[in-house]
Amino acid sequence: MLSLSHLQSITDRILDADDTAYGKLYAACDELYETLIKASRIDPREEKNKENQSLDSGAALGITWAAMCIKDIMRTKRFMNGVYAAVRDILLVHPEKTIHILYAGTGPFATLVLPLTARFSPEQIQLTLLEVNETSFNSLQNLVSILHLEKYIHRLEKADATKWKKPVNDQIDIFIVEAMQQGLKSEPHVAICMNIVPQLRPDTIMIPQQITLTAALLNEPKRMQEKFESGSIISSIHILDPVFILNKETILSRAESDAQRDVSDFTFQGKTIVIAADVVEDYPNLYLITDVLIYKEDCLLLDESPLSMPLKLADLRKELPTEIKFQYHIGSNPGIQFNMTML
Ligand SMILES: C[S@@+](CC[C@H](N)C(=O)[O-])C[C@H]1O[C@@H](n2cnc3c(N)ncnc32)[C@H](O)[C@@H]1O
């Protein structure tokens, strides 16, 4: 039988571990995953648990994959750190406050807020939890009951966060979402932000605070060589320019420019980059680099997690473009779209 104190001792180990203590972090994340899978009686090998749910804003991961996110150890560690730091920062200024946290896309375990229950009372934090996938939602409901966490829950809803309307009297201090992949492709992270952020107060903390997609040219053999030989990757990548930035400002400015937008199908402003032929000779492959600023100093940089691995877009030797226009698109298959202008 899973006890809350046992679970909390595992999440404490994740929060307390140094960022570079990979062994400790790996062991704690693995134990957290195995403990939660067992307590929730999820069979990750079952085919129906692997099925993603298709939304008009992208794919909501099947429970197997959503649960497995815990094993992305740097992601789990840095997001837990960031969420914890944000709560502490608010309490520092308002020690008597009850902090309301909206977490969209919780998966079966609401992993990113679990450590908070070890460190804060229900008088200090209240959670609104949204999950669209029925199996994950049912599992989470069950987990809340097994762990007797009801006193922390303000709302627990099976809902599509790209369409959810915040009840007018609910005040949200922190909004958390991690429904993303490298290059912000496939999953509805951006669409969720586009729906939720305009409903929040200007001082609400959004986690992650900013995600930047940067176009880059890459020399693949050199990158392999650098990875195996020295661990340094700098000279195998030629950074071009940021092509999409997701933060509260870009979300609100896009929302204001198009109040009648169809949240399930639209594009952000495009960015055109001139491509120099001599650079393509040395760095022939077009990639997107994803930087995730979670909260203050907690971030995920290149290669620290599958979320921040370079995403290949094209082999430019076949095309030789003079310029490329990039545009982020929200829809059933969200992501960066690009058009090349040829010589
Ligand atoms: C990448 S998983 C991450 C799970 C969890 N946030 C974590 O960090 O471990 C994303 C979760 O968001 C859920 N999700 C995706 N789109 C959603 C939407 N529009 N509304 C609510 N939940 C959504 C998926 O079903 C999945 O459980």
Side-chain angles (χ1 to χ4, degrees):
M1 187 71 186
L2 174 64
S3 76
L4 183 58
S5 58
H6 174 53
L7 196 68
Q8 289 171 337
S9 76
I10 308 174
T11 58
D12 272 347
R13 276 161 48 207
I14 299 176
L15 277 187
D16 292 339
D18 195 85
D19 248 21
T20 52
Y22 296 109
K24 278 188 191 165
L25 283 170
Y26 179 84
C29 287
D30 197 52
E31 191 178 340
L32 182 62
Y33 172 82
E34 294 298 341
T35 306
L36 288 168
I37 284 280
K38 203 167 153 204
S40 306
R41 300 208 174 118
I42 296 168
D43 180 355
R45 289 158 307 179
E46 206 174 296
E47 283 311 312
K48 78 170 175 25
N49 289 341
K50 296 181 187 169
E51 283 167 16
N52 294 340
Q53 189 174 333
S54 296
L55 307 174
D56 57 6
S57 54
L61 295 189
I63 190 171
T64 294
W65 313 123
M68 224 172 251
C69 292
I70 295 179
K71 294 193 171 210
D72 179 355
I73 58 173
M74 272 306 141
R75 177 210 80 108
T76 300
K77 161 74 176 158
R78 301 258 170 83
F79 268 85
M80 284 182 175
N81 276 2
V83 170
Y84 177 52
V87 174
R88 262 185 338 196
D89 278 356
I90 298 178
L91 283 178
L92 219 56
V93 182
H94 307 285
E96 304 302 322
K97 188 175 169 64
T98 302
I99 299 175
H100 288 264
I101 301 173
L102 167 61
Y103 184 2
T106 57
F109 310 137
T111 309
L112 305 178
V113 295
L114 273 184
L116 301 180
T117 63
R119 306 217 170 178
F120 302 105
S121 69
E123 286 69 40
Q124 291 174 303
I125 55 162
Q126 280 293 301
L127 306 172
T128 292
L129 307 175
L130 309 179
E131 172 56 56
V132 73
N133 179 295
E134 185 155 11
T135 324
S136 285
F137 171 77
N138 290 340
S139 250
L140 181 61
Q141 225 176 8
N142 185 29
L143 191 68
V144 165
S145 152
I146 294 173
L147 296 171
H148 308 293
L149 288 174
E150 291 87 352
K151 48 196 178 303
Y152 282 96
I153 308 294
H154 177 61
R155 295 181 194 282
L156 172 53
E157 294 184 18
K158 182 192 167 298
D160 182 341
T162 67
K163 304 192 163 45
W164 185 76
K165 293 284 167 250
K166 180 181 76 63
V168 273
N169 291 329
D170 282 19
Q171 294 296 323
I172 308 294
D173 302 295
I174 301 175
F175 160 50
I176 306 168
V177 56
E178 194 283 87
M180 66 172 285
Q181 295 182 21
Q182 42 171 192
L184 286 167
K185 66 174 178 134
S186 312
E187 290 186 57
H189 190 105
V190 181
I192 292 174
C193 293
M194 286 302 297
N195 174 45
I196 301 286
V197 171
Q199 303 183 56
L200 305 176
R201 293 192 320 262
D203 66 336
T204 301
I205 297 171
M206 178 171 88
I207 292 180
Q209 289 184 300
Q210 179 163 295
I211 300 173
T212 306
L213 304 185
T214 301
L217 297 175
L218 196 143
N219 180 316
E220 290 173 347
K222 238 179 167 179
R223 180 164 149 83
M224 288 298 282
Q225 196 184 348
E226 280 167 345
K227 275 197 147 187
F228 285 115
E229 284 172 10
S230 66
S232 148
I233 38 85
I234 300 305
S235 67
S236 66
I237 298 182
H238 177 88
I239 298 287
L240 296 169
D241 273 320
V243 293
F244 181 60
I245 296 178
L246 186 78
N247 59 29
K248 285 202 308 187
E249 289 70 37
T250 57
I251 292 164
L252 289 173
S253 107
R254 180 64 181 90
E256 276 162 19
S257 74
D258 186 4
Q260 300 306 313
R261 73 196 180 281
D262 173 359
V263 286
S264 59
D265 193 357
F266 69 93
T267 49
F268 284 78
Q269 200 177 3
K271 164 96 182 183
T272 300
I273 296 181
V274 174
I275 305 292
D278 57 331
V279 180
V280 174
E281 260 176 44
D282 284 342
Y283 303 91
N285 293 296
L286 179 65
Y287 274 78
L288 265 188
I289 310 265
T290 310
D291 291 327
V292 187
L293 170 60
I294 298 167
Y295 181 70
K296 292 193 171 169
E297 67 270 18
D298 282 300
C299 52
L300 287 174
L301 300 179
L302 187 65
D303 289 337
E304 289 190 318
S305 142
L307 304 185
S308 58
M309 300 270 185
L311 172 68
K312 187 167 181 174
L313 298 181
D315 183 340
L316 297 189
R317 280 170 298 200
K318 295 178 196 151
E319 321 277 354
L320 276 183
T322 51
E323 53 181 45
I324 306 176
K325 183 177 180 187
F326 298 86
Q327 206 159 16
Y328 192 85
H329 174 250
I330 286 184
S332 55
N333 186 19
I336 281 282
Q337 297 178 335
F338 60 101
N339 283 306
M340 306 204 209
T341 307
M342 307 303 170
L343 268 174

